[in-house]
Amino acid sequence: MGSFLITKRSNGEFQFVLKAGNGQVILASEGYTTKAACENGIESVKKNSQDDARFDRLESKNGKPYFNLKATNGQIIGNSEMYESVSARENGIESVKKNAPDADVKEDL
């Protein structure tokens, strides 16, 4: 089962990552000024990850596929790593859909 991990950056901002059952990071958030805002971001991922239309499938300047997960208001709530192929990116999206809804929330602050 997947899990969210909340951490604190060196600049004082809070960030979360979503990890798959194997421990691999499959989604990372932006920085949040408060822990409460970070927790709201996690709830948004849990909800929005179930709607395929919320995933923006993109390609970096060097041709690597990646994705962003957006909230209903269009704001990016998480982004992926760079993948080697489009099929790997699709597997990453499926992993977010599968792991996010029931993922535990852990902290390392």
Side-chain angles (χ1 to χ4, degrees):
M1 186 165 92
S3 63
F4 287 96
L5 178 64
I6 298 174
T7 57
K8 199 168 189 180
R9 294 177 172 174
S10 58
N11 66 359
E13 290 183 335
F14 294 87
Q15 177 184 15
F16 67 81
V17 294
L18 172 61
K19 293 184 176 187
N22 64 5
Q24 183 176 357
V25 173
I26 50 179
L27 192 73
S29 77
E30 63 182 359
Y32 294 92
T33 54
T34 66
K35 185 178 165 198
C38 188
E39 290 168 337
N40 287 341
I42 290 171
E43 289 306 312
S44 187
V45 169
K46 288 183 174 192
K47 183 178 77 176
N48 288 290
S49 64
Q50 300 311 290
D51 183 350
D52 190 69
R54 300 272 179 254
F55 289 91
D56 274 352
R57 292 158 170 89
L58 304 163
E59 191 174 286
S60 67
K61 289 178 181 161
N62 65 357
K64 302 263 187 186
Y66 71 101
F67 65 87
N68 289 331
L69 176 61
K70 290 188 171 181
T72 49
N73 65 4
Q75 183 156 355
I76 296 172
I77 48 178
N79 49 50
S80 74
E81 64 180 357
M82 298 294 161
Y83 292 97
E84 293 300 318
S85 67
V86 170
S87 63
R89 176 184 65 199
E90 292 304 311
N91 288 342
I93 290 171
E94 290 306 311
S95 186
V96 171
K97 290 178 182 177
K98 182 179 117 187
N99 285 283
D102 301 316
D104 292 336
V105 179
K106 300 174 182 175
E107 297 179 4
D108 184 11
L109 302 175

XYZ file of all heavy atoms in Angstrom:
835
model
N 0.842 -1.195 0.000
C 0.000 0.000 0.000
C 0.880 1.249 0.000
O 1.939 1.277 0.605
C -0.894 -0.008 1.233
C -1.893 1.113 1.231
S -3.219 0.887 2.416
C -2.538 1.733 3.812
N 0.410 2.279 -0.655
C 1.158 3.529 -0.756
C 1.057 4.358 0.512
O 0.249 4.087 1.398
N 1.892 5.400 0.570
C 1.842 6.309 1.709
C 2.300 7.699 1.290
O 3.109 7.850 0.376
C 2.728 5.796 2.850
O 4.074 5.757 2.452
N 1.736 8.684 1.962
C 2.186 10.063 1.821
C 3.189 10.330 2.931
O 2.993 9.902 4.071
C 1.015 11.045 1.968
C 0.082 11.059 0.799
C -1.085 10.305 0.812
C 0.358 11.838 -0.322
C -1.965 10.325 -0.266
C -0.506 11.864 -1.404
C -1.673 11.102 -1.379
N 4.245 11.063 2.614
C 5.232 11.445 3.612
C 5.366 12.961 3.582
O 5.707 13.547 2.549
C 6.588 10.787 3.327
C 7.708 11.163 4.305
C 7.388 10.684 5.718
C 9.035 10.601 3.826
N 5.076 13.592 4.725
C 5.220 15.039 4.865
C 6.611 15.319 5.443
O 6.991 14.726 6.457
C 4.145 15.626 5.800
C 2.747 15.400 5.227
C 4.395 17.121 6.030
C 1.616 15.818 6.166
N 7.336 16.218 4.794
C 8.648 16.630 5.290
C 8.706 18.154 5.321
O 7.859 18.835 4.745
C 9.786 16.096 4.391
O 9.566 16.550 3.052
C 9.852 14.582 4.419
N 9.721 18.666 5.995
C 9.931 20.111 6.074
C 11.223 20.441 5.338
O 12.266 19.850 5.602
C 10.010 20.557 7.532
C 9.777 22.028 7.725
C 9.584 22.344 9.208
C 9.140 23.777 9.395
N 8.952 24.103 10.808
N 11.139 21.365 4.397
C 12.307 21.784 3.629
C 13.208 22.678 4.469
O 12.792 23.217 5.493
C 11.864 22.555 2.381
C 11.100 21.726 1.383
C 10.666 22.605 0.240
N 10.093 21.837 -0.854
C 9.541 22.390 -1.922
N 9.483 23.700 -2.057
N 9.050 21.630 -2.884
N 14.423 22.881 3.999
C 15.371 23.732 4.723
C 14.891 25.177 4.817
O 15.263 25.907 5.723
C 16.745 23.674 4.065
O 16.657 24.080 2.712
N 14.008 25.594 3.884
C 13.489 26.968 3.924
C 12.241 27.086 4.809
O 11.602 28.130 4.847
C 13.191 27.462 2.511
C 12.054 26.704 1.844
O 11.475 25.778 2.408
N 11.740 27.085 0.613
N 11.874 25.995 5.495
C 10.732 26.034 6.405
C 9.417 25.618 5.782
O 8.419 25.486 6.487
N 9.385 25.425 4.475
C 8.149 25.003 3.820
C 7.918 23.511 4.024
O 8.860 22.739 4.205
C 8.214 25.299 2.315
C 8.171 26.765 1.986
C 8.166 27.020 0.485
O 8.645 26.180 -0.303
O 7.675 28.074 0.102
N 6.638 23.130 3.965
C 6.247 21.730 4.061
C 6.039 21.181 2.655
O 5.597 21.902 1.753
C 4.960 21.587 4.876
C 5.122 21.977 6.310
C 4.957 23.300 6.708
C 5.464 21.037 7.266
C 5.117 23.676 8.027
C 5.630 21.400 8.599
C 5.452 22.717 8.977
N 6.356 19.911 2.477
C 6.202 19.248 1.186
C 5.743 17.818 1.457
O 6.038 17.247 2.500
C 7.542 19.218 0.445
C 7.482 18.475 -0.870
C 8.848 18.377 -1.547
O 9.888 18.609 -0.937
N 8.836 18.036 -2.811
N 5.015 17.245 0.501
C 4.695 15.823 0.616
C 5.117 15.093 -0.646
O 5.231 15.678 -1.717
C 3.200 15.586 0.897
C 2.276 15.962 -0.235
C 2.068 15.105 -1.309
C 1.601 17.164 -0.216
C 1.209 15.452 -2.342
C 0.735 17.527 -1.239
C 0.538 16.655 -2.311
N 5.362 13.803 -0.469
C 5.556 12.900 -1.592
C 4.595 11.737 -1.405
O 4.222 11.396 -0.278
C 7.007 12.373 -1.719
C 7.966 13.505 -2.054
C 7.452 11.639 -0.476
N 4.172 11.160 -2.519
C 3.389 9.931 -2.497
C 4.314 8.813 -2.925
O 4.942 8.895 -3.990
C 2.191 10.029 -3.443
C 1.386 8.738 -3.651
C 0.781 8.233 -2.343
C 0.291 8.962 -4.698
N 4.419 7.797 -2.067
C 5.269 6.654 -2.371
C 4.398 5.439 -2.657
O 3.388 5.220 -1.988
C 6.188 6.334 -1.189
C 7.227 7.397 -0.914
C 8.152 6.960 0.201
C 9.263 7.971 0.418
N 10.257 7.462 1.377
N 4.821 4.657 -3.642
C 4.154 3.393 -3.933
C 4.519 2.387 -2.845
O 5.392 2.638 -2.010
C 4.590 2.887 -5.302
N 3.874 1.242 -2.870
C 4.134 0.202 -1.883
C 5.591 -0.223 -1.823
O 6.085 -0.643 -0.776
N 6.308 -0.093 -2.951
C 7.724 -0.485 -3.000
C 8.658 0.623 -2.518
O 9.872 0.485 -2.577
C 8.112 -0.915 -4.418
C 8.004 0.210 -5.441
O 7.725 1.363 -5.105
N 8.200 -0.134 -6.700
N 8.088 1.752 -2.070
C 8.888 2.853 -1.550
C 9.307 3.884 -2.576
O 9.894 4.901 -2.237
N 8.996 3.645 -3.845
C 9.379 4.588 -4.898
C 8.462 5.811 -4.880
O 7.247 5.687 -4.764
C 9.302 3.911 -6.272
C 9.749 4.806 -7.402
C 9.750 4.096 -8.756
O 9.475 2.917 -8.848
N 10.049 4.840 -9.792
N 9.057 6.995 -4.992
C 8.271 8.232 -5.046
C 7.585 8.321 -6.413
O 8.239 8.242 -7.455
C 9.163 9.474 -4.811
C 8.371 10.756 -5.040
C 9.743 9.457 -3.410
N 6.253 8.485 -6.394
C 5.507 8.560 -7.655
C 4.869 9.924 -7.872
O 4.391 10.213 -8.964
C 4.442 7.443 -7.757
C 3.569 7.376 -6.497
C 5.120 6.104 -8.012
C 2.475 6.321 -6.540
N 4.876 10.777 -6.848
C 4.328 12.122 -6.983
C 4.940 13.003 -5.901
O 5.089 12.564 -4.765
C 2.797 12.098 -6.818
C 2.046 13.360 -7.208
C 2.006 13.528 -8.724
C 0.621 13.327 -6.669
N 5.302 14.233 -6.263
C 5.876 15.179 -5.304
C 5.109 16.496 -5.381
O 4.692 16.923 -6.462
C 7.352 15.421 -5.607
N 4.951 17.140 -4.229
C 4.197 18.394 -4.177
C 5.104 19.599 -4.278
O 6.326 19.496 -4.197
C 3.411 18.477 -2.865
O 4.280 18.826 -1.792
N 4.461 20.741 -4.365
C 5.137 22.026 -4.234
C 5.414 22.259 -2.749
O 5.052 21.438 -1.912
C 4.214 23.126 -4.763
C 2.914 23.238 -3.948
C 1.947 24.275 -4.473
O 2.245 24.945 -5.458
O 0.879 24.415 -3.866
N 5.996 23.391 -2.424
C 6.196 23.765 -1.035
C 4.971 24.495 -0.497
O 4.355 25.291 -1.207
N 4.608 24.199 0.738
C 3.487 24.849 1.410
C 4.003 25.603 2.625
O 4.908 25.130 3.310
C 2.454 23.811 1.871
C 1.755 23.079 0.754
C 2.249 21.871 0.277
C 0.600 23.588 0.181
C 1.602 21.178 -0.747
C -0.057 22.911 -0.835
C 0.452 21.707 -1.287
O -0.192 21.033 -2.299
N 3.390 26.751 2.918
C 3.851 27.559 4.046
C 3.414 26.984 5.392
O 4.058 27.230 6.402
C 3.359 29.014 3.932
O 1.944 29.002 3.777
C 4.004 29.710 2.742
N 2.319 26.215 5.405
C 1.846 25.620 6.663
C 1.626 24.123 6.486
O 1.376 23.640 5.380
C 0.523 26.247 7.134
O -0.511 25.920 6.188
C 0.632 27.761 7.280
N 1.690 23.412 7.596
C 1.424 21.972 7.578
C -0.028 21.710 7.184
O -0.318 20.763 6.451
C 1.738 21.370 8.944
C 1.599 19.870 8.978
C 1.974 19.331 10.349
C 1.491 17.919 10.500
N 1.445 17.495 11.883
N -0.937 22.548 7.649
C -2.362 22.384 7.319
C -2.583 22.485 5.812
O -3.356 21.705 5.231
C -3.206 23.415 8.055
N -1.916 23.431 5.167
C -2.047 23.572 3.711
C -1.487 22.341 3.010
O -2.046 21.872 2.009
C -1.334 24.835 3.237
N -0.404 21.802 3.529
C 0.191 20.583 2.973
C -0.791 19.414 3.102
O -0.982 18.649 2.154
C 1.504 20.288 3.698
S 2.483 18.964 2.989
N -1.429 19.299 4.243
C -2.416 18.232 4.462
C -3.613 18.400 3.527
O -4.160 17.406 3.024
C -2.859 18.218 5.920
C -1.751 17.748 6.848
C -2.024 17.978 8.324
O -2.842 18.871 8.672
O -1.411 17.278 9.134
N -4.013 19.651 3.273
C -5.086 19.897 2.304
C -4.663 19.448 0.910
O -5.485 18.933 0.137
C -5.475 21.379 2.276
C -6.250 21.799 3.506
O -6.799 20.971 4.217
N -6.273 23.088 3.763
N -3.390 19.655 0.570
C -2.864 19.194 -0.712
C -2.964 17.686 -0.846
O -3.316 17.158 -1.916
N -2.678 16.969 0.223
C -2.794 15.505 0.219
C -4.237 15.086 -0.032
O -4.500 14.197 -0.850
C -2.261 14.913 1.542
C -0.737 15.069 1.602
C -2.676 13.447 1.693
C -0.115 14.713 2.933
N -5.164 15.734 0.655
C -6.588 15.421 0.437
C -6.990 15.688 -1.012
O -7.765 14.936 -1.603
C -7.470 16.212 1.404
C -7.361 15.745 2.829
C -7.617 14.251 3.008
O -8.623 13.742 2.468
O -6.792 13.583 3.673
N -6.454 16.745 -1.579
C -6.743 17.076 -2.977
C -6.199 16.000 -3.916
O -6.858 15.630 -4.894
C -6.147 18.445 -3.311
O -6.531 18.860 -4.591
N -5.015 15.480 -3.618
C -4.457 14.395 -4.433
C -5.351 13.164 -4.337
O -5.669 12.536 -5.350
C -3.014 14.041 -4.008
C -2.552 12.748 -4.660
C -2.062 15.169 -4.360
N -5.769 12.823 -3.122
C -6.618 11.639 -2.944
C -7.881 11.745 -3.801
O -8.296 10.773 -4.428
C -6.999 11.474 -1.467
C -5.846 11.014 -0.602
C -6.307 10.796 0.832
C -5.187 10.196 1.676
N -5.666 9.722 2.970
N -8.479 12.927 -3.821
C -9.722 13.141 -4.561
C -9.475 13.234 -6.068
O -10.114 12.537 -6.854
C -10.391 14.424 -4.049
C -11.736 14.717 -4.688
C -12.366 15.965 -4.095
C -11.694 17.190 -4.665
N -12.279 18.454 -4.249
N -8.557 14.083 -6.474
C -8.366 14.360 -7.901
C -7.659 13.244 -8.659
O -7.784 13.144 -9.875
C -7.610 15.677 -8.082
C -8.490 16.859 -7.740
O -9.424 17.171 -8.449
N -8.202 17.508 -6.628
N -6.945 12.379 -7.950
C -6.227 11.299 -8.626
C -7.170 10.269 -9.242
O -6.741 9.464 -10.057
C -5.279 10.599 -7.654
O -6.003 9.960 -6.619
N -8.423 10.319 -8.880
C -9.376 9.353 -9.419
C -10.013 9.820 -10.726
O -10.788 9.089 -11.336
C -10.451 9.041 -8.372
C -9.872 8.453 -7.096
C -8.917 7.300 -7.363
O -9.341 6.232 -7.785
N -7.627 7.513 -7.149
N -9.678 11.010 -11.183
C -10.213 11.572 -12.427
C -9.072 11.687 -13.438
O -8.191 12.525 -13.295
C -10.827 12.943 -12.132
C -11.471 13.565 -13.362
O -11.296 13.046 -14.483
O -12.148 14.596 -13.192
N -9.096 10.842 -14.452
C -8.007 10.817 -15.429
C -7.794 12.175 -16.099
O -6.672 12.515 -16.470
C -8.276 9.746 -16.497
C -7.068 9.513 -17.374
O -6.058 8.973 -16.874
O -7.121 9.894 -18.567
N -8.859 12.966 -16.215
C -8.751 14.276 -16.867
C -7.891 15.245 -16.054
O -7.439 16.269 -16.585
C -10.145 14.869 -17.083
N -7.631 14.948 -14.793
C -6.819 15.823 -13.939
C -5.310 15.624 -14.163
O -4.505 16.365 -13.636
C -7.119 15.565 -12.466
C -8.561 15.817 -12.112
C -8.787 17.266 -11.729
N -10.178 17.461 -11.412
C -11.035 18.092 -12.202
N -10.634 18.588 -13.343
N -12.289 18.227 -11.858
N -4.946 14.594 -14.928
C -3.536 14.336 -15.203
C -3.137 15.000 -16.516
O -3.704 14.706 -17.563
C -3.261 12.829 -15.296
C -3.350 12.126 -13.977
C -4.553 11.579 -13.545
C -2.241 12.002 -13.158
C -4.647 10.916 -12.333
C -2.320 11.351 -11.935
C -3.534 10.812 -11.522
N -2.167 15.908 -16.451
C -1.590 16.511 -17.654
C -0.391 15.675 -18.057
O 0.576 15.566 -17.305
C -1.115 17.948 -17.388
C -2.217 18.965 -17.542
O -3.309 18.592 -18.008
O -1.973 20.135 -17.198
N -0.475 15.078 -19.242
C 0.623 14.272 -19.755
C 1.515 15.179 -20.599
O 1.061 15.720 -21.599
C 0.070 13.114 -20.570
C -0.666 12.098 -19.701
C -1.653 11.274 -20.506
N -2.173 10.150 -19.739
C -3.243 10.204 -18.964
N -3.901 11.345 -18.820
N -3.656 9.132 -18.318
N 2.765 15.343 -20.166
C 3.661 16.332 -20.760
C 4.982 15.707 -21.182
O 5.264 14.550 -20.877
C 3.910 17.446 -19.741
C 2.642 18.133 -19.199
C 2.943 18.899 -17.942
C 2.050 19.032 -20.261
N 5.778 16.529 -21.863
C 7.116 16.108 -22.265
C 8.088 17.237 -21.967
O 7.826 18.396 -22.283
C 7.117 15.781 -23.765
C 8.366 15.082 -24.238
C 8.250 14.660 -25.687
O 7.523 13.698 -25.981
O 8.899 15.314 -26.527
N 9.213 16.901 -21.347
C 10.215 17.908 -21.011
C 10.959 18.348 -22.266
O 10.830 17.739 -23.329
C 11.202 17.346 -19.984
O 11.964 16.314 -20.578
N 11.756 19.390 -22.132
C 12.524 19.901 -23.271
C 13.469 18.858 -23.855
O 13.762 18.885 -25.046
C 13.319 21.141 -22.867
C 12.440 22.344 -22.638
C 13.245 23.559 -22.195
C 12.311 24.730 -21.953
N 12.915 25.769 -21.138
N 13.922 17.941 -23.008
C 14.831 16.908 -23.519
C 14.089 15.637 -23.935
O 14.691 14.596 -24.136
C 15.935 16.588 -22.506
C 15.395 15.968 -21.225
O 14.193 15.818 -21.049
N 16.293 15.605 -20.328
N 12.761 15.736 -24.059
C 11.970 14.638 -24.604
C 11.506 13.583 -23.612
O 10.939 12.570 -24.009
N 11.715 13.822 -22.328
C 11.301 12.839 -21.316
C 9.838 13.064 -20.932
O 9.442 14.176 -20.600
C 12.166 12.958 -20.059
C 13.632 12.773 -20.301
C 14.031 11.369 -20.000
C 15.552 11.252 -20.074
N 15.990 9.907 -19.922
N 9.035 12.008 -20.960
C 7.634 12.130 -20.538
C 7.530 12.302 -19.019
O 8.324 11.731 -18.268
C 7.010 10.801 -20.950
C 7.993 10.128 -21.842
C 9.335 10.682 -21.493
N 6.556 13.095 -18.589
C 6.232 13.256 -17.169
C 4.782 13.693 -17.074
O 4.118 13.908 -18.090
C 7.172 14.242 -16.475
C 6.982 15.701 -16.853
C 6.292 16.583 -16.016
C 7.496 16.214 -18.037
C 6.129 17.912 -16.348
C 7.335 17.545 -18.383
C 6.649 18.388 -17.538
O 6.478 19.704 -17.870
N 4.265 13.813 -15.847
C 2.891 14.282 -15.686
C 2.772 15.198 -14.489
O 3.584 15.159 -13.567
C 1.904 13.109 -15.565
C 2.080 12.261 -14.344
C 1.464 12.586 -13.141
C 2.852 11.106 -14.386
C 1.621 11.809 -12.019
C 3.016 10.309 -13.259
C 2.393 10.662 -12.072
N 1.742 16.040 -14.541
C 1.315 16.867 -13.415
C -0.103 16.457 -13.060
O -0.897 16.138 -13.947
C 1.317 18.358 -13.767
C 2.711 18.914 -13.924
O 3.658 18.450 -13.317
N 2.843 19.927 -14.764
N -0.416 16.492 -11.786
C -1.784 16.281 -11.316
C -2.332 17.636 -10.911
O -1.695 18.353 -10.134
C -1.814 15.305 -10.136
C -3.176 15.071 -9.482
C -4.171 14.483 -10.471
C -3.029 14.163 -8.263
N -3.498 17.985 -11.461
C -4.092 19.289 -11.183
C -5.380 19.151 -10.384
O -6.119 18.174 -10.529
C -4.404 20.016 -12.495
C -3.163 20.463 -13.233
C -3.525 21.339 -14.406
C -2.287 21.971 -15.018
N -2.640 22.842 -16.134
N -5.651 20.167 -9.573
C -6.903 20.252 -8.829
C -8.001 20.763 -9.761
O -7.734 21.173 -10.890
C -6.734 21.196 -7.640
N -9.228 20.775 -9.267
C -10.349 21.242 -10.084
C -10.179 22.696 -10.516
O -10.674 23.095 -11.553
C -11.686 21.092 -9.321
O -11.538 21.655 -8.026
C -12.082 19.645 -9.189
N -9.426 23.491 -9.729
C -9.205 24.896 -10.085
C -8.041 25.073 -11.063
O -7.675 26.189 -11.408
C -8.966 25.744 -8.825
C -7.689 25.358 -8.091
O -6.913 24.519 -8.533
N -7.477 25.988 -6.951
N -7.429 23.965 -11.484
C -6.347 24.033 -12.453
C -4.956 24.157 -11.850
O -3.959 24.110 -12.562
N -4.874 24.299 -10.533
C -3.572 24.422 -9.869
C -2.883 23.064 -9.793
O -3.509 22.051 -9.494
C -3.753 24.988 -8.468
C -2.430 25.194 -7.763
C -2.510 26.241 -6.665
O -3.527 26.887 -6.490
N -1.439 26.384 -5.943
N -1.577 23.055 -10.041
C -0.800 21.814 -9.954
C -0.630 21.438 -8.487
O -0.166 22.242 -7.681
C 0.575 21.974 -10.626
C 0.403 22.220 -12.125
C 1.446 20.737 -10.378
C 1.686 22.589 -12.849
N -1.020 20.204 -8.151
C -0.879 19.744 -6.768
C 0.210 18.691 -6.625
O 0.585 18.328 -5.511
C -2.216 19.218 -6.200
C -2.898 18.256 -7.171
C -3.123 20.362 -5.842
C -4.194 17.662 -6.658
N 0.715 18.209 -7.731
C 1.802 17.251 -7.666
C 2.394 17.019 -9.040
O 1.711 17.185 -10.051
N 3.682 16.661 -9.058
C 4.301 16.330 -10.342
C 5.137 15.070 -10.193
O 5.534 14.689 -9.096
C 5.122 17.502 -10.889
C 6.063 18.075 -9.868
O 6.813 17.353 -9.229
N 6.012 19.370 -9.685
N 5.367 14.452 -11.320
C 6.072 13.177 -11.341
C 7.549 13.365 -11.630
O 8.005 14.467 -11.943
C 5.473 12.269 -12.425
O 5.875 12.723 -13.722
N 8.258 12.265 -11.586
C 9.629 12.231 -12.061
C 9.617 12.242 -13.589
O 8.554 12.171 -14.198
C 10.319 10.960 -11.563
C 9.676 9.699 -12.149
C 10.341 8.410 -11.682
O 11.332 8.468 -10.955
O 9.841 7.347 -12.063
N 10.782 12.301 -14.197
C 10.907 12.148 -15.639
C 10.994 10.652 -15.950
O 11.711 9.916 -15.264
C 12.164 12.846 -16.163
C 12.168 14.333 -15.930
S 10.880 15.163 -16.861
C 10.780 16.700 -15.971
N 10.247 10.227 -16.951
C 10.226 8.816 -17.325
C 10.991 8.591 -18.623
O 11.185 9.514 -19.420
C 8.776 8.342 -17.486
C 8.009 8.301 -16.185
C 7.181 9.352 -15.805
C 8.119 7.219 -15.319
C 6.483 9.325 -14.612
C 7.424 7.185 -14.122
C 6.611 8.227 -13.780
O 5.917 8.192 -12.591
N 11.368 7.341 -18.837
C 12.112 6.981 -20.047
C 11.190 6.753 -21.239
O 11.633 6.785 -22.380
C 12.956 5.725 -19.802
C 14.087 5.951 -18.812
C 15.061 7.031 -19.260
O 15.417 7.065 -20.453
O 15.464 7.861 -18.414
N 9.905 6.496 -20.978
C 8.974 6.206 -22.078
C 7.565 6.650 -21.703
O 7.254 6.852 -20.525
C 8.956 4.705 -22.388
O 8.397 3.995 -21.293
N 6.717 6.782 -22.720
C 5.317 7.144 -22.497
C 4.623 6.044 -21.696
O 3.827 6.319 -20.799
C 4.611 7.400 -23.847
C 3.108 7.525 -23.667
C 5.175 8.661 -24.493
N 4.931 4.792 -21.989
C 4.284 3.696 -21.254
C 4.687 3.707 -19.781
O 3.856 3.422 -18.905
C 4.602 2.347 -21.896
O 5.974 2.070 -21.841
N 5.936 4.067 -19.486
C 6.364 4.176 -18.084
C 5.608 5.300 -17.381
O 5.222 5.164 -16.220
C 7.871 4.397 -18.002
N 5.395 6.417 -18.099
C 4.616 7.520 -17.517
C 3.189 7.055 -17.221
O 2.636 7.363 -16.158
C 4.593 8.711 -18.472
C 3.715 9.853 -17.954
C 3.612 10.991 -18.937
N 2.931 10.572 -20.147
C 3.001 11.213 -21.317
N 3.721 12.302 -21.428
N 2.365 10.768 -22.371
N 2.582 6.310 -18.144
C 1.218 5.817 -17.923
C 1.167 4.879 -16.721
O 0.214 4.911 -15.949
C 0.691 5.117 -19.186
C 0.454 6.070 -20.346
C -0.489 7.223 -19.998
O -1.579 6.979 -19.432
O -0.135 8.380 -20.303
N 2.202 4.061 -16.552
C 2.275 3.195 -15.378
C 2.359 4.031 -14.103
O 1.768 3.677 -13.082
C 3.481 2.256 -15.458
C 3.299 1.166 -16.494
O 2.193 0.874 -16.928
N 4.402 0.574 -16.911
N 3.101 5.154 -14.156
C 3.192 6.058 -13.015
C 1.840 6.656 -12.655
O 1.473 6.733 -11.476
N 1.095 7.072 -13.667
C -0.246 7.624 -13.443
C -1.152 6.570 -12.809
O -1.868 6.849 -11.842
C -0.840 8.170 -14.761
C -0.076 9.431 -15.184
C -2.342 8.433 -14.619
C -0.421 9.937 -16.577
N -1.113 5.350 -13.346
C -1.933 4.271 -12.786
C -1.548 3.982 -11.338
O -2.409 3.693 -10.503
C -1.819 3.003 -13.640
C -2.501 3.121 -14.996
C -3.954 3.553 -14.901
O -4.718 2.964 -14.090
O -4.346 4.492 -15.628
N -0.271 4.089 -11.032
C 0.196 3.864 -9.667
C -0.339 4.937 -8.722
O -0.736 4.631 -7.585
C 1.727 3.829 -9.641
O 2.200 3.480 -8.372
N -0.372 6.187 -9.173
C -0.954 7.265 -8.354
C -2.435 6.989 -8.117
O -2.930 7.080 -6.989
C -0.743 8.652 -9.006
C -1.543 9.728 -8.272
C 0.730 9.008 -9.032
N -3.158 6.627 -9.179
C -4.591 6.338 -9.052
C -4.843 5.219 -8.054
O -5.800 5.259 -7.282
C -5.176 5.940 -10.413
C -5.272 7.066 -11.407
C -5.816 6.511 -12.711
C -5.909 7.568 -13.786
N -6.371 6.996 -15.063
N -3.989 4.216 -8.087
C -4.158 3.041 -7.227
C -3.754 3.333 -5.782
O -4.426 2.909 -4.845
C -3.317 1.893 -7.792
C -3.437 0.591 -7.029
C -2.596 -0.467 -7.693
C -1.521 -0.883 -6.696
N -0.521 -1.773 -7.221
N -2.658 4.040 -5.586
C -2.092 4.218 -4.250
C -2.655 5.396 -3.462
O -2.724 5.338 -2.236
C -0.569 4.369 -4.340
C 0.115 3.057 -4.620
O 0.259 2.227 -3.742
N 0.528 2.851 -5.857
N -3.036 6.486 -4.131
C -3.396 7.719 -3.417
C -4.634 7.611 -2.524
O -4.595 8.084 -1.385
C -3.557 8.870 -4.405
N -5.738 7.024 -2.992
C -6.973 7.131 -2.203
C -6.884 6.589 -0.776
O -7.465 7.168 0.139
C -8.000 6.333 -3.017
C -7.458 6.293 -4.389
C -5.967 6.319 -4.247
N -6.184 5.500 -0.567
C -6.147 4.860 0.751
C -4.781 4.971 1.422
O -4.527 4.274 2.413
C -6.529 3.374 0.613
C -7.916 3.217 0.008
O -8.824 3.951 0.425
O -8.088 2.370 -0.884
N -3.925 5.818 0.891
C -2.562 5.917 1.430
C -2.559 6.519 2.837
O -3.294 7.455 3.126
C -1.696 6.762 0.493
N -1.725 5.948 3.695
C -1.501 6.506 5.023
C -0.712 7.797 4.896
O 0.018 7.985 3.919
C -0.666 5.553 5.881
C -1.428 4.277 6.224
O -2.673 4.291 6.217
O -0.764 3.263 6.505
N -0.816 8.655 5.897
C -0.027 9.882 5.941
C 0.983 9.764 7.078
O 0.603 9.539 8.227
C -0.912 11.130 6.141
C -0.066 12.382 6.207
C -1.941 11.231 5.020
N 2.251 9.897 6.732
C 3.329 9.828 7.722
C 4.064 11.159 7.723
O 3.971 11.925 6.771
C 4.291 8.688 7.373
C 3.606 7.337 7.346
C 4.520 6.249 6.855
C 3.773 4.920 6.803
N 4.572 3.861 6.217
N 4.800 11.403 8.789
C 5.551 12.653 8.896
C 7.011 12.375 9.227
O 7.304 11.441 9.974
C 4.965 13.545 9.992
C 3.557 13.990 9.735
C 3.004 14.844 10.861
O 3.749 15.160 11.813
O 1.810 15.171 10.796
N 7.887 13.176 8.659
C 9.306 13.159 9.017
C 9.727 14.614 9.113
O 10.285 15.178 8.181
C 10.107 12.400 7.958
C 11.566 12.269 8.343
O 11.906 12.569 9.509
O 12.379 11.896 7.475
N 9.394 15.245 10.239
C 9.594 16.696 10.391
C 10.785 17.026 11.264
O 11.123 16.413 12.183
C 8.337 17.339 10.976
C 7.070 17.120 10.150
C 5.862 17.680 10.861
C 7.199 17.783 8.783
